Amino acid sequence: MPELKNDTFLRALQRQPVAYTPMWMMRQAGRYLPEYNQTRAQAGSFMGLAQNPEYACEVTLQPLRRFDLDAAILFSDILTVPDAMGLGLQFVAGEGPRFDRPLRDEAAIQALQVPDLDRLRYVFDAVSLIRRELNGSVPLIGFSGSPWTLACYMVEGAGSSDYRQIKTLLYQRPDLLHRILSINAQAVQSYLNAQIRAGAQAVMVFDSWGGVLADGLFQQFSLAYTRQVLDGLIREHEGHRVPAIVFTKGGGQWIEDVAATGCDAVGLDWTANLAAARRRVGDQVALQGNLDPMTLFGSEAGIRTEVRRVLADFGTVGNGGHVFNLGHGISQFTPPEAVAILVDEVHTASRAYHAG
């Protein structure tokens, strides 16, 4: 693979000195870009896009052509793993992802198995293609949903406002939920390791729904299985460390627990205070985040002010590590010109926090 020209993102994750705060955005390849919508139309569907390595590569690279971002993230979906388990993933217009065969009875749960990774070959082929096409410009991030977040979709069958199905299972038959989570942890670990072997230079675990759990149950049903994933990850590849990021939406109150999983960085949503989070973890891990995505609907002055606030919140980087990101995925309605302002302000204003 070509030599990496910009390793600022990887160095920041490892709390090494950098000249400025690197940044990327969750969902940076997506519907806010007109060129993405054109490519998706050519592909015919979301899955047609995600399952075609050439299309996946194209949309991964699109935001990097527009913006001076410090990392690329594989274009895919967290639900590819349960789809490979045979649950029948489909994307319904106006409704989002849905499974034809959600896990609603004991027989289905007992029959669940770690998927054959050959069923996910299109993902690994996309990783390798993207890595080649990046030509060393910036690192490539691979990712997966957390075991708990995947289980939420697998049991609910779709997104949910109250998580009634999976919480019923949790409180009535925790043994069955633990089986799902154990299978998911094995699958996610294998899936991420295959992405690393294919060329991913950092990986991220999205625990998008960890924050819906009660304290104590989060540690038991989400965090324990994320830790299992991290315990078996490849952490050195091609002679370089492969950093791991864990992001739990709504998980700011558990930052010490998340930091203790063995990850290199903890992602935070916009409700967390970066200064307080940094004090609590004592620079033992890097922090990623955490601008409110809706900031990008403000004026140019407003965007620049909020960027400076987030940077000041983290403070002088020193022995810490900060990767600038949104506190969740970018909205599909975001004006692309607002992203250009964001990137410019992060790269310009952050240099003062790295001086000396």
Side-chain angles (χ1 to χ4, degrees), residues 10 75 79 211 234 266 310 345:
L10 297 179
F75 178 80
L79 300 183
I234 296 169
V266 176
V310 171
E345 190 63 28

Side-chain angles (χ1 to χ4, degrees), residues 103-168:
L103 302 176
R104 292 290 176 79
D105 57 59
E106 183 167 353
I109 293 169
Q110 294 294 355
L112 191 69
Q113 298 292 332
V114 174
D116 181 347
L117 288 182
D118 277 344
R119 299 192 66 181
L120 293 162
R121 178 60 50 193
Y122 63 90
V123 175
F124 315 134
D125 288 346
V127 169
S128 295
L129 179 58
I130 295 163
R131 182 72 191 278
R132 290 195 299 273
E133 291 297 315
L134 283 169
N135 195 31
S137 57
V138 294
L140 175 61
I141 307 167
F143 72 92
S144 175
S146 71
W148 163 258
T149 293
L150 296 184
C152 287
Y153 281 102
M154 293 160 72
V155 174
E156 295 288 339
S160 176
S161 59
D162 60 6
Y163 302 90
R164 179 172 54 87
Q165 299 286 350
I166 193 160
K167 288 194 173 185
T168 297

Side-chain angles (χ1 to χ4, degrees), residues 2 24 29 46 48-49 60 140 145-146 151 160 195 271 288 350:
W24 66 282
F46 178 87
L49 195 62
T60 297
L140 175 61
S146 71
S160 176
Q195 290 184 43
T271 65
Q288 179 174 276
S350 67

Side-chain angles (χ1 to χ4, degrees), residues 44-88:
S45 67
F46 178 87
M47 291 305 289
L49 195 62
Q51 292 180 339
N52 181 301
E54 286 74 23
Y55 282 140
C57 178
E58 167 61 20
V59 296
T60 297
L61 298 178
Q62 284 171 352
L64 299 170
R65 296 182 187 129
R66 278 184 179 255
F67 313 117
D68 187 22
L69 298 161
D70 295 288
I73 184 166
L74 162 71
F75 178 80
S76 188
D77 192 88
I78 64 170
L79 300 183
T80 54
V81 171
D83 182 49
M85 292 174 172
L87 273 63

Side-chain angles (χ1 to χ4, degrees), residues 291-299 302-304 306-307 309 326 338:
L291 187 75
D292 181 351
M294 295 299 107
T295 300
L296 297 175
F297 293 97
S299 65
I303 294 169
R304 292 186 185 274
E306 282 301 295
V307 167
R309 182 190 62 76
L326 305 178

Side-chain angles (χ1 to χ4, degrees), residues 131-355:
R131 182 72 191 278
R132 290 195 299 273
E133 291 297 315
L134 283 169
N135 195 31
S137 57
V138 294
L140 175 61
I141 307 167
F143 72 92
S144 175
S146 71
W148 163 258
T149 293
L150 296 184
C152 287
Y153 281 102
M154 293 160 72
V155 174
E156 295 288 339
S160 176
S161 59
D162 60 6
Y163 302 90
R164 179 172 54 87
Q165 299 286 350
I166 193 160
K167 288 194 173 185
T168 297
L169 186 66
L170 185 157
Y171 290 115
Q172 289 191 0
R173 291 294 305 273
D175 58 313
L176 294 181
L177 181 52
H178 279 301
R179 171 170 170 73
I180 297 171
L181 293 168
S182 178
I183 294 291
N184 284 357
Q186 295 172 59
V188 168
Q189 184 186 104
S190 297
Y191 182 55
L192 289 176
N193 281 339
Q195 290 184 43
I196 292 167
R197 292 188 188 98
Q201 292 151 289
V203 291
M204 182 161 169
V205 177
F206 285 88
D207 190 23
S208 305
W209 304 123
V212 308
L213 285 164
D215 184 48
L217 296 180
F218 168 75
Q219 289 84 348
Q220 182 181 354
F221 289 94
S222 180
L223 199 68
Y225 291 95
T226 295
R227 185 180 292 111
Q228 283 187 27
V229 170
L230 293 173
D231 283 348
L233 280 188
I234 296 169
R235 305 308 287 271
E236 298 280 342
H237 190 62
E238 299 176 329
H240 299 283
R241 181 165 176 82
V242 181
I245 310 162
V246 175
F247 171 69
T248 297
K249 187 172 184 291
Q253 68 269 36
W254 300 307
I255 186 169
E256 296 94 339
D257 293 336
V258 177
T261 58
C263 63
D264 296 275
V266 176
L268 294 166
D269 66 30
W270 65 90
T271 65
N273 179 281
L274 279 180
R278 188 178 181 188
R279 286 193 300 270
R280 287 166 60 187
V281 300
D283 282 341
Q284 295 303 301
V285 293
L287 299 179
Q288 179 174 276
N290 65 337
L291 187 75
D292 181 351
M294 295 299 107
T295 300
L296 297 175
F297 293 97
S299 65
E300 176 174 349
I303 294 169
R304 292 186 185 274
T305 296
E306 282 301 295
V307 167
R308 291 193 294 270
R309 182 190 62 76
V310 171
L311 292 169
D313 200 12
F314 188 88
T316 300
V317 175
N319 293 322
H322 184 206
V323 172
F324 200 100
N325 207 316
L326 305 178
H328 200 241
I330 187 170
S331 165
Q332 69 183 91
F333 304 108
T334 302
E337 54 269 25
V339 176
I341 295 166
L342 166 68
V343 175
D344 175 70
E345 190 63 28
V346 171
H347 284 164
T348 302
S350 67
R351 292 182 180 273
Y353 295 95
H354 296 266

